[in-house]
Amino acid sequence: RALPRRGASAARLATGARESTHILDRYLLREYVVFAGIGLGVAATLFVVIDLLQTLDRYIRTKPPLIYVLEHFVYRVPAALHDGLPVVMLVATIFLFLALTRAHELTAMKAAGMSLYRVAAPVLLFATGVAIAAGLFQELLLPKLNELGDEVDRVKIRGQLPRHLQSRERLWLRTADSRFYRVELLHPGTNDLYGVTVLEVEQGSFRLHSRLDARRAHWTPAGWELTDGAFREFGPRGEVQTIPFTTTAIDLQEEIDDFTRIHKSIGAMSYRELRDYIVRLEATGFQVKKYLVELYSKVAFPLVNLIMVLVAIPFSLQSPRGGRLFGIALAIAIMAGYLVVHYVALAFARADLLPPLLAAWTANIIFLGLGTSLFLRART
């Protein structure tokens, strides 16, 4: 009775093994987070230094308050770190496994019964979480940060009007399949359009149906008020009926916001914004292939964080005595290879040699296959 029972001893051994494994998981994650944190800090510092080198002369010339400069970096640094996060994840993974190999900690873990797959599991799970968080950040926060950053740069630092209140010249606007606007000068501050031409064409034949010209169009809540112009209607046999006017009111579907609305750049749009923008372009007959590549790339980009980790693990084990310089060179080589494949695929898409979906995912597919193959063939 004094001797320990065999079942109880086995249970204690199993519990102790699980606790030891969890301790090692926490140790690996802690080391990895330290490397990633240092990488993010270095990346943020590099961005601030490079940005200041590019804009310091402007700050000296305009002399904005220091709070505006700090606000600029508050909005710009997170966006820059999001773009450089795959490189940070790649470097952190290489440094972690080089350190484990050089200190023979990886050998000790294998001797304790942990395979390479089990050692890499917490790092891969962490990278998966980073990829999901990066996707959510790109969709929910990045567009707003870019918008606020542009406002700070243009309005607070440069002293310009907001973009939607700036005058614009020689503006073309297509609002439907059959209606085109030509505006010589847009003055949002007074809700005025100068030198307005409205063209109506027939769908299919694209024959000009009518033309409306006005020296000035003023927007009111009741509709448009036009001054000094003429309305011309063209018959099927070339006859023209002209109705001149000095002042008239007209009811159009378009409002002043349709002219003052400023489209974001493609890189500053979220997935939903870009998808809706593509739908509107398709409805008006524009080619949208290049925009489709950008749309699919927004889904593919967050997964690069996980793919870089998967590729870095087997490559970092190829040179067990490599130092940090070797790790940096290896990270540069891997990322350069990824970018070459990605931009070659985009060039093929522009030349109609690849469909947009495949072009956006080509680099991910190739490097995911490469990383998985090397990882499964590594000595466990």
Side-chain angles (χ1 to χ4, degrees):
R1 287 198 300 269
L3 294 175
R5 290 178 298 176
R6 183 175 182 180
S9 177
R12 284 195 298 271
L13 288 175
T15 303
R18 286 196 298 269
E19 291 178 353
S20 299
T21 304
H22 293 161
I23 291 174
L24 291 175
D25 289 341
R26 291 194 294 269
Y27 169 72
L28 290 171
L29 285 177
R30 183 172 65 250
E31 293 296 312
Y32 187 78
V33 169
V34 169
F35 283 124
I38 294 174
L40 289 175
V42 172
T45 303
L46 287 175
F47 173 79
V48 171
V49 171
I50 294 174
D51 188 87
L52 284 176
L53 290 176
Q54 295 175 344
T55 58
L56 187 59
D57 57 340
R58 182 196 309 161
Y59 295 153
I60 294 176
R61 184 173 61 255
T62 60
K63 295 181 174 59
L66 180 60
I67 188 64
Y68 291 165
V69 178
L70 296 178
E71 192 175 357
H72 161 81
F73 287 114
V74 167
Y75 296 134
R76 295 302 188 186
V77 170
L81 292 181
H82 171 265
D83 294 338
L85 187 57
V87 180
V88 174
M89 298 291 290
L90 175 64
V91 173
T93 305
I94 293 175
F95 279 14
L96 174 65
F97 280 87
L98 284 178
L100 293 177
T101 305
R102 285 171 58 87
H104 303 289
E105 292 175 315
L106 187 59
T107 303
M109 293 179 189
K110 291 181 179 180
M114 293 181 65
S115 67
L116 176 63
Y117 306 143
R118 183 61 185 83
V119 173
V123 177
L124 291 174
L125 288 176
F126 180 79
T128 302
V130 170
I132 295 174
L136 294 175
F137 176 83
Q138 174 183 268
E139 183 68 15
L140 302 177
L141 296 179
L142 186 59
K144 188 63 176 179
L145 289 176
N146 285 326
E147 183 179 351
L148 293 174
D150 288 339
E151 182 179 355
V152 169
D153 292 340
R154 292 176 177 272
V155 180
K156 296 184 177 180
I157 294 180
R158 299 183 185 180
Q160 300 177 355
L161 289 172
R163 293 186 63 185
H164 67 281
L165 295 180
Q166 292 180 3
S167 299
R168 300 164 64 187
E169 298 180 353
R170 292 179 290 278
L171 173 66
W172 278 96
L173 181 65
R174 183 176 183 177
T175 60
D177 292 341
S178 59
R179 181 175 296 169
F180 297 82
Y181 284 85
R182 171 68 166 85
V183 179
E184 186 66 27
L185 175 63
L186 166 64
H187 198 286
T190 58
N191 291 340
D192 286 329
L193 309 179
Y194 295 94
V196 181
T197 299
V198 184
L199 304 176
E200 287 279 356
V201 299
E202 293 183 356
Q203 297 186 17
S205 64
F206 216 69
R207 185 183 69 85
L208 182 61
H209 180 266
S210 64
R211 170 171 175 161
L212 174 65
D213 294 281
R215 184 182 62 83
R216 174 175 172 266
H218 177 69
W219 167 255
T220 66
W224 289 98
E225 296 178 354
L226 277 60
T227 305
D228 298 337
F231 175 77
R232 296 176 177 87
E233 190 171 6
F234 302 91
R237 298 181 181 179
E239 61 272 17
V240 180
Q241 182 180 1
T242 304
I243 305 175
F245 58 85
T246 303
T247 301
T248 187
I250 188 171
D251 184 18
L252 295 174
Q253 295 179 353
E254 293 73 30
E255 301 180 356
I256 189 65
D257 291 341
D258 295 310
F259 296 92
T260 58
R261 185 183 300 117
I262 302 295
H263 291 293
K264 298 180 181 179
S265 63
I266 301 302
M269 292 184 183
S270 67
Y271 178 87
R272 291 175 296 176
E273 290 172 336
L274 183 55
R275 181 193 59 195
D276 296 339
Y277 181 61
I278 290 174
V279 171
R280 293 197 301 271
L281 288 180
E282 285 182 320
T284 54
F286 284 95
Q287 294 292 331
V288 296
K289 181 172 295 185
K290 65 178 181 179
Y291 300 112
L292 286 175
V293 175
E294 294 290 340
L295 180 68
Y296 298 137
S297 296
K298 287 185 178 297
V299 180
F301 180 75
L303 294 178
V304 180
N305 296 288
L306 176 60
I307 293 173
M308 289 295 106
V309 173
L310 186 61
V311 173
I313 293 175
F315 270 108
S316 61
L317 299 177
Q318 300 299 318
S319 180
R321 297 188 180 277
R324 293 187 175 179
L325 289 178
F326 169 80
I328 295 175
L330 180 60
I332 293 174
I334 293 174
M335 184 54 64
Y338 179 90
L339 293 177
V340 168
V341 174
H342 180 64
Y343 285 114
V344 167
L346 295 185
F348 281 0
R350 297 189 187 98
D352 291 333
L353 299 177
L354 280 179
L357 178 60
L358 183 58
W361 282 86
T362 295
N364 279 11
I365 294 173
I366 292 176
F367 275 77
L368 179 62
L370 176 64
T372 302
S373 175
L374 294 176
F375 189 60
L376 293 178
R377 292 168 57 184
R379 296 180 61 183
T380 61

